[in-house]
Amino acid sequence: MTRATPPTGSVRANVKGRQTRERLLEAALRSFATAGFHGTSTRDLASAAGMSPAAVYAYYGTKEELLFEISLSGHTEVLELVSTTIDAAHSSVDGIAAVVREFVAWHARFRTQARVVQYEMAALTNDHREAITGIRRETQRLVRDLIAEGVASGDFHVDNANLTALALLSLGIDVARWYRPDGAWSPEDVGENYSAIALRMVGWGQVTPQG
Amino acid sequence: MTRATPPTGSVRANVKGRQTRERLLEAALRSFATAGFHGTSTRDLASAAGMSPAAVYAYYGTKEELLFEISLSGHTEVLELVSTTIDAAHSSVDGIAAVVREFVAWHARFRTQARVVQYEMAALTNDHREAITGIRRETQRLVRDLIAEGVASGDFHVDNANLTALALLSLGIDVARWYRPDGAWSPEDVGENYSAIALRMVGWGQVTPQG
């Protein structure tokens, strides 16, 4: 089925609208990162985006909707990253190594977005928080299933696949807190190092003294 | 040397002052956890503590001083916990297991304080942030030195003691984010599980396929 081409004027208006939304989202991310969600007023957002408060309301009904959109895009991106990385892996060993490498590097690279998203979860409405929690749960499930697959194949040895999945994800999430771009390690360095640590955590081919 | 006993009236005033400060700190912790540091006004703090704004100013010059005191007491407590746990350990293996167990359980138990302290680091003045960073660095150094000790004795095998120390601490820090008291695990359960994972991370007595 072919769709009718909208008149040129409307295309331009759409592009302009998208650009304005993006400018507003970027301004919101910067403001939330600096002053916190509760410490940022719609007036602050408008001024950071070079818009009037009324114009902000025309794009987003509330400040919380902006936070939700930032959180949703971050979480969706991470779920897709985890999902495609696992799909591309040839084994559960490759999969865990690659997932942790990518997940950790992402949190170092996009630490500002990651911090806002993690630290302001409580500011979301119940419906929005549930939507985000659903995406997080799905990401965690993919990692847990990959661990379980490695356990079934005899590659991994873990006591509790759920807690181990949580621990692997914690490594990446907390990187957003401490990572400094002017430090000794690139996002890829941290990803590579943590990837090796992750294989130990899932007990890859290891014999532990505990048996 | 014996010190003169202060007159009774002054003792009472001191006790009352200490109680008021504590009430104020508790109210600040609750308010910062709910509305964020930037989203909490001195008026909010005063009303949460059942005091007048002027009375709040009599105890703390600024809202930031309250945040600093919450942060300082949390960080000092954790440093002491880590330090005494390591001192009591009979080996680096016991030490890592015990430190991670205690550090993780602490962050599950005191998750509200831990979250405020972690999420609002940027709101501290430069001097205060440096003081806190110094304590964090000392905690990290103790863990890193313990890992290095285990490497020297042949108990542990790690590529990078610094990054491994960071990774161990990340596990505990991130527990404050996800831990729910109504979930399946007690703080001690998580501490115990993560303690076993930590021994894998430092390569205790393990032969890895990478050699």
Side-chain angles (χ1 to χ4, degrees):
Chain A
M1 225 197 288
T2 48
R3 287 175 108 202
T5 312
T8 317
S10 145
V11 169
R12 277 205 199 119
N14 278 341
V15 169
K16 191 155 178 289
R18 209 159 50 228
Q19 284 169 345
T20 309
R21 285 175 79 94
E22 270 164 26
R23 202 170 76 211
L24 195 48
L25 279 172
E26 277 164 28
L29 180 56
R30 279 196 309 274
S31 304
F32 294 161
T34 315
F37 173 77
H38 293 287
T40 304
S41 66
T42 304
R43 191 167 290 278
D44 297 333
L45 284 178
S47 121
M51 295 163 70
S52 70
V56 172
Y57 284 120
Y59 285 93
Y60 289 91
T62 65
K63 209 175 53 157
E64 190 272 345
E65 281 174 34
L66 272 162
L67 176 65
F68 176 59
E69 186 140 335
I70 291 171
S71 190
L72 186 64
S73 83
H75 278 94
T76 308
E77 208 179 299
V78 167
L79 174 58
E80 276 168 14
L81 181 72
V82 166
S83 168
T84 56
T85 304
I86 290 179
D87 285 347
H90 299 295
S91 65
S92 32
V93 177
D94 283 355
I96 285 294
V99 154
V100 170
R101 189 189 302 121
E102 296 301 325
F103 188 82
V104 164
W106 191 95
H107 282 81
R109 257 180 239 125
F110 302 108
R111 59 199 166 279
T112 309
Q113 187 178 1
R115 266 184 239 160
V116 166
V117 160
Q118 304 298 343
Y119 298 177
E120 304 288 5
M121 278 286 280
L124 293 173
T125 62
N126 285 342
D127 283 359
H128 283 166
R129 194 166 48 248
E130 266 175 39
I132 297 296
T133 304
I135 303 175
R136 294 178 80 101
R137 226 178 262 138
E138 180 61 13
T139 303
Q140 203 184 315
R141 193 189 61 78
L142 289 176
V143 175
R144 192 200 54 211
D145 286 356
L146 187 61
I147 295 174
E149 201 186 295
V151 170
S153 67
D155 286 319
F156 300 157
H157 304 87
V158 304
D159 289 333
N160 186 324
N162 263 320
L163 259 181
T164 306
L166 257 172
L168 288 181
L169 296 176
S170 279
L171 285 188
I173 289 167
D174 198 53
V175 163
R177 183 187 55 78
W178 63 257
Y179 186 78
R180 297 289 172 275
D182 53 358
W185 304 305
S186 70
E188 292 71 31
D189 289 339
V190 185
E192 204 55 50
N193 261 284
Y194 274 25
S195 169
I197 291 177
L199 285 177
R200 293 174 166 209
M201 292 168 76
V202 295
W204 173 44
Q206 294 175 344
V207 186
T208 67
Q210 307 103 301
Chain B
M1 225 196 289
T2 47
R3 285 175 111 203
T5 311
T8 317
S10 145
V11 169
R12 278 206 199 118
N14 278 342
V15 169
K16 188 153 181 288
R18 210 160 48 228
Q19 284 170 344
T20 309
R21 284 176 79 95
E22 271 163 26
R23 201 171 77 212
L24 194 48
L25 279 173
E26 276 164 29
L29 180 57
R30 280 197 309 273
S31 304
F32 295 161
T34 315
F37 174 77
H38 292 287
T40 304
S41 66
T42 303
R43 189 167 292 276
D44 298 332
L45 284 177
S47 121
M51 296 164 68
S52 71
V56 173
Y57 283 121
Y59 284 92
Y60 288 92
T62 65
K63 206 175 55 155
E64 190 272 343
E65 279 173 35
L66 272 162
L67 177 65
F68 176 59
E69 186 140 335
I70 291 171
S71 190
L72 186 64
S73 83
H75 278 93
T76 309
E77 208 180 301
V78 166
L79 174 58
E80 275 167 17
L81 180 72
V82 166
S83 168
T84 56
T85 304
I86 291 179
D87 286 347
H90 299 295
S91 66
S92 31
V93 176
D94 283 354
I96 285 293
V99 155
V100 170
R101 189 189 303 121
E102 297 301 324
F103 187 82
V104 164
W106 191 95
H107 281 81
R109 256 179 240 126
F110 303 108
R111 61 200 165 277
T112 308
Q113 186 179 3
R115 266 184 239 159
V116 165
V117 160
Q118 303 298 343
Y119 297 178
E120 304 289 5
M121 277 286 281
L124 294 172
T125 63
N126 285 342
D127 283 0
H128 284 165
R129 193 164 49 247
E130 267 176 39
I132 297 295
T133 304
I135 303 176
R136 294 179 80 100
R137 226 177 263 136
E138 181 61 13
T139 303
Q140 203 183 314
R141 193 189 61 76
L142 290 175
V143 175
R144 192 200 53 212
D145 286 356
L146 187 62
I147 295 174
E149 202 185 294
V151 169
S153 67
D155 286 319
F156 300 157
H157 303 87
V158 304
D159 289 334
N160 186 324
N162 263 319
L163 261 180
T164 305
L166 258 173
L168 288 181
L169 296 177
S170 280
L171 286 189
I173 290 168
D174 198 53
V175 163
R177 183 187 56 78
W178 63 257
Y179 185 77
R180 297 289 173 275
D182 53 358
W185 304 306
S186 70
E188 293 70 30
D189 289 338
V190 185
E192 204 56 50
N193 261 283
Y194 274 26
S195 169
I197 291 177
L199 285 177
R200 293 175 166 210
M201 292 167 75
V202 295
W204 173 44
Q206 294 174 345
V207 185
T208 65
Q210 306 102 302

